[in-house]
Amino acid sequence: MSNSKEAKTRAEASFKRKQEQVREGTKAWAEYEAQRRGVDEKIAKLKTLRLAKEAAEAASDGKK
């Protein structure tokens, strides 16, 4: 009978570890996605600034 209790205890511990891994994986994925969105926003902002600068330079070249 103690063998059955030990097996149950091991199975429960294994299940809890797997649940924790799932939670950690979900958390890591959310952090990754948030970081990726931040990088994408920075890229978009820099692109906008570059295009504005190029347009201003083209306009000043056209005035000369």
Side-chain angles (χ1 to χ4, degrees), residues 3-17:
N3 214 10
S4 175
K5 287 182 183 180
E6 289 174 13
K8 182 178 178 182
T9 301
R10 282 193 307 271
E12 287 174 350
S14 175
F15 180 73
K16 286 180 183 179
R17 276 193 308 273

Side-chain angles (χ1 to χ4, degrees), residues 1-62:
M1 197 153 182
S2 76
N3 214 10
S4 175
K5 287 182 183 180
E6 289 174 13
K8 182 178 178 182
T9 301
R10 282 193 307 271
E12 287 174 350
S14 175
F15 180 73
K16 286 180 183 179
R17 276 193 308 273
K18 288 179 183 174
Q19 281 184 319
E20 182 62 26
Q21 288 174 340
V22 167
R23 276 192 295 274
E24 289 296 319
T26 302
K27 181 181 173 185
W29 186 254
E31 290 172 0
Y32 167 80
E33 285 291 316
Q35 187 177 28
R36 186 190 58 80
R37 280 190 303 273
V39 169
D40 288 347
E41 289 170 4
K42 287 179 185 178
I43 289 171
K45 182 178 178 181
L46 290 171
K47 182 177 180 181
T48 301
L49 292 172
R50 179 180 50 84
L51 292 174
K53 178 184 173 192
E54 289 174 357
E57 288 173 351
S60 72
D61 287 345

